[in-house]
Amino acid sequence: MDMATKLQDQVVFHLTGKPDGDHLLPVDAGLRPALLAPLRDLTRLRYDFPLLLVDDPAQPDYALALGELVNRVLAQTAPRGVDGERLRRLTLRLERELRSLLAAGAQGRLSQLWRQAAARVAGDDEAEQALARVTAALHLDGELVDCDAALPARLVRHAWRAVHAEKTREFRALIDRLVRKLSDIERAAFLRSAAGRQPQALRSAVGALHGDSFDFDAMSRLVSRRAPQEDLPASRRQRIASVLQALRSQRFYPDPAAGPDVAPALEFEFADCASAAAAYRERLPQLVELIKAIAIAELEVAGAYVESEHDAFFARYDTDALTAADLAQFPDYLVCIDAGGSEAPENAGLMGLLSAGLPLKVLVITADLLEESSLATGRYAFGVRSARLATTAMALGGMFVLQSASSNLVALRERLRHGMRCREPALFSVFAGAPAAAATLPAYLSAAAAMDARAFPAFTYDAAAGDNWATRFSLENNRDRESDWALDSFEYADDDLQRVRVPVAFTYADFALADRRYAHHFARVPRARWCAAMLPAAEWLALPDERQTEHVPYVWAVDGDDRLHRVIVDQKLMQAARRCLLLWRRLQEHAGINDSHAAALLARERAAWEASLPAAAAPPAAATATAAAPEAPPAAAEAAPKDEAWIETARCPSCNECQNINPQMFAYNDNKQAYIKDINAGTYRQLVEAAEACQVAIIHPGKPRNPNERGLAELIERAKPFL
């Protein structure tokens, strides 16, 4: 069978999404991306989950991976060498048993689940005694949670409560100090007053233990002789009493030792933005009065309150006088929005509230990145309402933004706590894994796959960290962040049962393959119909537009028996993958990776430097190119006219940027240095993009060869610094 016959039905499916004939096979639920084949049983792996939500707020770690906890305990209890080996093995078996319990749906505290797992692992008295030593060394407890749909809300609430506990301790220390100092002033003034010298007042001051040892009537007459008059004016006494009442009755951080008659603490956790904003506005007058009371108390304690100056100031004190430092003392309002809730009417003003600077910490959970657009074109919406939420907030500035898949939250837990501590509003956008009814992967793998596929990259933006993107923005924990896609080495057995190892990119199409709702965008190709025109999805995306029609993109998949399959992808899904890649590259530029502005600046500076050199000192371009590329075509071996595209091959640092754009147009010589292999294999746009991406500005795009190419005016202007 010739290649054209094999390819015809594949091309039809790619263009239309509908199979032509019986030569292509449907994708069933048993298929998964080939790179995930070794990860069928997560309980056999040591990874970041389960996660312990530590009870004790005084501990430095508010959340701790189970593996980290076990390592710490073993470091304390298991001696080095053979003597400790049995204990280490028993404890690691117990850790695995804990993972199995949670994978089976068990829930509870570490102490409870640890005992259950230990009972399953221990087989004799010696093992029980060994595990008892390990159990005694835990010293920590709390909820043990797995990476599931509930994890983002549970972890974010726990982080908020840990920070809230810190704020409570600091604020209570301030309030208690002021109450004690003001009470001392009141008490001293009372003792100097006529009422304080009465027999009953003196009896109360001495106490019941020695109450019968004194004649308090005689004592009252004695202390009243020539006693100083009360020096606390009525206005000051009234002011101190009013401030004490405000400090003692405040409900933001109430005194835990107060009696049952004291009003309960205010609630700061909400399910929607509208409720949180309404509560903030309703409580704002109380907050102003409390801040005013604290300021007056500080002045009174220092003896610095001057009625002629301060009465007028505090009479006019209102919300306009509040500062960021004032608000930072008080609890932030936590809003946890479930998947799909960001579009609800009560959350419609989310961006406005964040940009207005309200003390909000908002978690938005996303569970579906593959939502189909309702437009007639049928193109993917690429989760615009979810995956783009964090980038939209970042563009507003003035806040803290964290985006991450739930699988990565353990690695970013300190960044999460930092976002809770910062004065600015904060948005936490988390992908919790595809819906359970649609996913063929566990929530942890689904979330991790979204990160590797660039469908939901992890990043943080901290407006308060500095005054430029380099200090504010970070692409954190994304694998191969300088590349288009995350790469892995993939091994399989060929037809001759020989081991083959190839690098495979994990693309947006691989991620979509794990969602059974979108199986109709894929088709399995029987091995007999594999042909050279089939290209891996990442390579197909790197082709120029005019050459993509010559090939059909596919991804590797495995079935339940680990048999390898090629699965071709239709055009609609590849369009979504292209858009995903575009958005990823924009994030890369924010992080200073492949920065086109930096490349253009470097080229201009280099051109200016070369122009400043004496003519005799400038190295002939033809000589340098010839010395390093003996097999390169003439255009790369001699000085080319400015109208022709060429590369200064001898200066190539082998960064691979040009080949990432078009491997058919650009190639490496034996020295791993680039030259133009086939000028007709790509577009002028790709030449210009390669010139901008080149780290040392050695690519010269020349003039366009195709006068009908789109956007030539803009491209010619962009190419000028490199001619």
Side-chain angles (χ1 to χ4, degrees):
M1 185 184 299
D2 61 16
M3 189 177 78
T5 305
K6 292 181 179 180
L7 188 61
Q8 181 179 355
D9 53 350
Q10 298 176 27
V11 171
V12 171
F13 176 82
H14 171 68
L15 295 176
T16 65
K18 303 182 186 304
D20 180 26
D22 302 326
H23 303 301
L24 300 178
L25 305 174
V27 169
D28 56 43
L31 282 184
R32 61 165 50 193
L35 288 176
L36 302 181
L39 304 177
R40 294 191 184 277
D41 185 3
L42 291 177
T43 64
R44 303 180 68 87
L45 303 176
R46 292 198 85 200
Y47 64 110
D48 285 345
F49 291 90
L51 181 66
L52 174 64
L53 304 181
V54 180
D55 278 344
D56 187 355
Q59 291 291 328
D61 298 302
Y62 73 97
L64 197 63
L66 178 63
E68 294 175 321
L69 177 63
V70 168
N71 289 344
R72 292 183 186 182
V73 171
L74 285 177
Q76 298 172 17
T77 59
R80 294 184 179 182
V82 177
D83 293 340
E85 187 60 27
R86 185 163 190 260
L87 180 58
R88 280 189 287 271
R89 290 185 179 181
L90 276 171
T91 307
L92 292 176
R93 281 177 55 198
L94 188 150
E95 179 186 340
R96 180 178 170 185
E97 192 63 40
L98 280 169
R99 286 196 172 88
S100 299
L101 282 172
L102 267 73
Q107 296 181 353
R109 299 177 63 77
L110 172 66
S111 53
Q112 167 199 350
L113 295 171
W114 186 280
R115 285 193 297 270
Q116 292 182 31
R120 295 186 182 188
V121 170
D124 52 44
D125 292 342
E126 185 180 352
E128 288 183 8
Q129 292 173 6
L131 289 176
R133 287 204 311 274
V134 175
T135 303
L138 278 177
H139 302 309
L140 291 176
D141 203 6
E143 291 294 315
L144 196 63
V145 297
D146 207 354
C147 186
D148 53 21
L151 171 76
R154 296 181 75 174
L155 179 57
V156 167
R157 285 194 181 100
H158 189 67
W160 181 89
R161 289 167 184 169
V163 172
H164 182 69
E166 294 175 4
K167 284 189 169 184
T168 300
R169 287 194 297 270
E170 294 173 2
F171 197 88
R172 284 304 323 168
L174 170 66
I175 294 296
D176 292 345
R177 178 180 66 84
L178 293 175
V179 167
R180 186 172 61 254
K181 294 286 187 181
L182 292 177
S183 298
D184 288 346
I185 293 173
E186 273 194 329
R187 189 176 300 108
F190 175 74
L191 292 176
R192 288 193 296 268
S193 69
R197 295 190 292 271
Q198 294 301 311
Q200 190 58 39
L202 294 174
R203 180 182 294 275
S204 299
V206 170
L209 182 62
H210 302 287
D212 297 332
S213 303
F214 298 94
D215 182 347
F216 290 101
D217 290 327
M219 183 183 293
S220 175
R221 290 192 297 272
L222 287 172
V223 298
S224 297
R225 294 175 184 176
R226 299 182 180 180
Q229 296 298 314
E230 178 185 0
D231 61 352
L232 194 65
S235 59
R236 188 184 183 200
R237 187 189 316 112
Q238 182 179 358
R239 184 167 57 249
I240 290 177
S242 175
V243 167
L244 279 171
Q245 172 63 22
L247 297 180
R248 286 168 173 157
S249 63
Q250 59 85 21
R251 297 174 59 197
F252 293 93
Y253 301 102
D255 185 354
D261 296 335
V262 176
L266 296 171
E267 181 61 51
F268 292 94
E269 298 181 43
F270 296 88
D272 61 80
C273 292
S275 300
Y280 172 75
R281 295 188 182 101
E282 179 185 343
R283 299 167 185 174
L284 195 55
Q286 302 173 44
L287 186 146
V288 170
E289 290 303 313
L290 181 54
I291 291 177
K292 183 163 65 172
I294 291 172
I296 294 173
E298 294 279 15
L299 290 169
E300 287 289 359
V301 166
Y305 193 97
V306 180
E307 292 185 352
S308 60
E309 297 178 7
H310 293 115
D311 281 356
F313 170 77
F314 286 112
R316 293 191 296 271
Y317 195 95
D318 59 14
T319 55
D320 293 334
L322 295 179
T323 66
D326 292 332
L327 294 175
Q329 300 178 80
F330 290 86
D332 292 301
Y333 291 71
L334 177 66
V335 180
C336 293
I337 302 175
D338 292 333
S342 59
E343 297 176 13
E346 58 269 24
N347 295 316
L350 168 61
M351 287 301 172
L353 295 174
L354 290 172
S355 60
L358 265 65
L360 293 178
K361 308 296 183 187
V362 181
L363 166 67
V364 178
I365 301 172
T366 298
D368 196 355
L369 299 177
L370 295 171
E371 49 194 345
E372 292 271 16
S373 171
S374 59
L375 301 177
T377 58
R379 294 186 179 182
Y380 275 83
F382 183 59
V384 169
R385 295 183 297 275
S386 52
R388 296 301 305 277
L389 183 66
T391 52
T392 302
M394 183 172 65
L396 296 174
M399 65 187 75
F400 179 90
V401 180
L402 182 149
Q403 174 174 294
S404 177
S406 58
S407 58
N408 188 51
L409 286 177
V410 178
L412 291 183
R413 60 187 182 270
E414 285 308 311
R415 297 293 290 162
L416 176 60
R417 178 155 61 177
H418 174 76
M420 290 296 178
R421 284 172 170 163
C422 69
R423 292 182 176 183
E424 296 76 22
L427 172 68
F428 306 96
S429 179
V430 179
F431 174 59
T440 60
L441 303 173
Y444 174 83
L445 278 186
S446 177
M451 271 187 62
D452 279 358
R454 316 308 193 198
F456 206 85
F459 65 82
T460 56
Y461 172 82
D462 185 359
D467 57 1
N468 54 61
W469 279 99
T471 54
R472 292 181 174 183
F473 183 80
S474 175
L475 275 179
E476 304 199 46
N477 297 101
N478 297 282
R479 291 200 304 123
D480 299 321
R481 65 182 194 141
E482 296 189 358
S483 303
D484 284 344
W485 309 105
L487 295 172
D488 283 286
S489 180
F490 179 60
E491 290 187 0
Y492 64 94
D494 63 13
D495 292 337
D496 299 323
L497 299 182
Q498 298 299 305
R499 177 179 294 180
V500 179
R501 178 181 294 176
V502 293
V504 174
F506 193 85
T507 69
Y508 186 82
D510 293 88
F511 171 62
L513 179 63
D515 192 315
R516 59 174 58 93
R517 294 172 300 173
Y518 303 98
H520 60 281
H521 292 283
F522 300 90
R524 279 189 295 139
V525 180
R527 184 177 289 269
R529 301 184 71 85
W530 291 7
C531 61
M534 300 172 69
L535 277 183
E539 295 181 23
W540 186 89
L541 286 168
L543 290 176
D545 293 347
E546 61 271 16
R547 294 200 57 194
Q548 288 179 348
T549 56
E550 303 169 11
H551 299 275
V552 174
Y554 74 89
V555 295
W556 290 108
V558 293
D559 59 23
D561 297 321
D562 281 341
R563 287 190 295 263
L564 191 62
H565 299 269
R566 283 186 180 182
V567 179
I568 60 174
V569 191
D570 73 5
Q571 184 173 233
K572 291 179 182 177
L573 186 53
M574 292 309 294
Q575 288 169 348
R578 187 184 301 280
R579 177 167 176 77
C580 169
L581 184 56
L582 172 64
L583 297 176
W584 167 248
R585 286 175 175 171
R586 289 179 183 173
L587 289 177
Q588 284 180 312
E589 284 222 49
H590 285 319
I593 301 170
N594 302 329
D595 191 334
S596 57
H597 297 287
L601 176 61
L602 179 63
R604 288 196 297 271
E605 291 298 319
R606 179 180 175 277
W609 174 76
E610 290 182 346
S612 68
L613 292 176
T624 52
T626 304
E631 80 291 349
E638 60 188 34
K642 291 184 69 175
D643 289 354
E644 296 295 328
W646 66 290
I647 295 178
E648 298 175 60
T649 302
R651 297 181 55 238
C652 174
S654 306
C655 66
N656 210 39
E657 299 294 347
C658 57
Q659 285 201 315
N660 285 339
I661 292 174
N662 187 339
Q664 280 70 40
M665 177 183 284
F666 302 100
Y668 278 156
N669 61 21
D670 291 341
N671 294 330
K672 290 288 289 178
Q673 293 179 302
Y675 68 94
I676 296 177
K677 176 182 177 182
D678 184 359
I679 191 66
N680 297 313
T683 63
Y684 187 64
R685 177 177 295 278
Q686 289 175 324
L687 275 168
V688 175
E689 289 176 351
E692 293 174 335
C694 179
Q695 297 179 4
V696 291
I698 61 171
I699 300 177
H700 307 280
K703 296 295 178 63
R705 300 167 66 86
N706 178 8
N708 297 319
E709 185 174 337
R710 273 192 197 172
L712 277 187
E714 176 204 354
L715 293 173
I716 290 172
E717 190 65 28
R718 287 166 58 183
K720 283 182 179 179
F722 309 102
L723 296 179

